[in-house]
Amino acid sequence: ESRRPDSEVTRMSEAAASRRIVTAPNAISAIRIAAIPVYTLMILDEASTFAGLMLFGVVCVTDWVDGYIARRTGQVTELGKILDPVADRLAISAGLIALLLRGAFPTWAASLIIGRDLLMLLIGVIAFAKRRVRIEVRWLGKRATLLVMLSIGGISWATLGYAYAPAFGVFGWACFVPGIIGAYVASVLYLG
């Protein structure tokens, strides 16, 4: 009986896993998406804005959890490769719009974030329509998304006047600048 090389077994198990739909990472992404209307409504209600901002933070911070679990457990799926970035974009956009409506985030900064997301959506649609390719997430794009998420939380926290508002404001803007620059640079790389 011949043994398959470990790399071949790994490739075979990844190929099998890639067709699965029900996995722990996909469930986490689905839960993150399901939480979007909850924290959006909470942010919009002045009485529960703080709790809504906290839930928004949890959803954003857990961005890396589904991908980490998928890679560590061999549960990387084609659905997950789409679901994870969709969850990120929906989470950011919904939270950002709610915070805009509450007056907690500047319109010009939100326009840069949402404009970049619309640009990526257009690039993704064109790439799939013309060449049947799906854009793979890059390291720079993931880091930029993290910084943008942190900036939204920090700036909004400061604008709403919660504890240590000045420090959160500085932190938020310190994350925003490299985050938005990185996001647009990643967009150019994706376009290539």
Side-chain angles (χ1 to χ4, degrees):
E1 175 179 309
S2 66
R3 280 185 39 90
R4 291 188 175 118
D6 287 339
S7 61
E8 186 178 336
V9 171
T10 301
R11 281 194 307 270
M12 289 175 62
S13 66
E14 285 176 359
S18 70
R19 291 186 297 270
R20 293 174 57 197
I21 293 175
V22 181
T23 63
N26 289 352
I28 292 169
S29 291
I31 290 168
R32 291 176 64 226
I33 291 170
I36 291 171
V38 176
Y39 70 71
T40 301
L41 292 172
M42 291 172 75
I43 289 170
L44 290 172
D45 181 2
E46 194 171 331
S48 60
T49 298
F50 181 81
L53 190 59
M54 292 291 97
L55 182 56
F56 175 55
V58 169
V59 169
C60 288
V61 168
T62 57
D63 166 37
W64 66 273
V65 173
D66 46 7
Y68 178 82
I69 292 172
R71 287 185 298 278
R72 292 289 181 201
T73 61
Q75 295 183 42
V76 176
T77 66
E78 290 303 315
L79 176 62
K81 289 179 181 180
I82 295 168
L83 202 56
D84 180 45
V86 166
D88 295 346
R89 302 279 67 90
L90 289 175
I92 290 172
S93 296
L96 195 51
I97 290 167
L99 289 163
L100 272 170
L101 293 173
R102 284 282 286 117
F105 200 84
T107 304
W108 67 267
S111 298
L112 287 174
I113 296 168
I114 293 171
R116 188 272 180 171
D117 287 349
L118 291 174
L119 175 65
M120 284 307 305
L121 177 62
L122 179 64
I123 291 170
V125 168
I126 291 170
F128 188 78
K130 296 237 180 218
R131 304 221 172 137
R132 295 284 185 240
V133 294
R134 184 178 35 78
I135 297 174
E136 294 290 330
V137 177
R138 292 177 176 258
W139 177 87
L140 177 60
K142 289 297 278 182
R143 296 310 174 267
T145 296
L146 173 64
L147 288 172
V148 166
M149 288 176 171
L150 291 171
S151 75
I152 294 168
I155 293 166
S156 299
W157 183 278
T159 303
L160 291 166
Y162 296 135
Y164 307 104
F168 276 94
V170 169
F171 173 77
W173 287 112
C175 290
F176 180 81
V177 173
I180 201 68
I181 291 170
Y184 277 94
V185 169
S187 296
V188 171
L189 295 174
Y190 291 134
L191 184 58

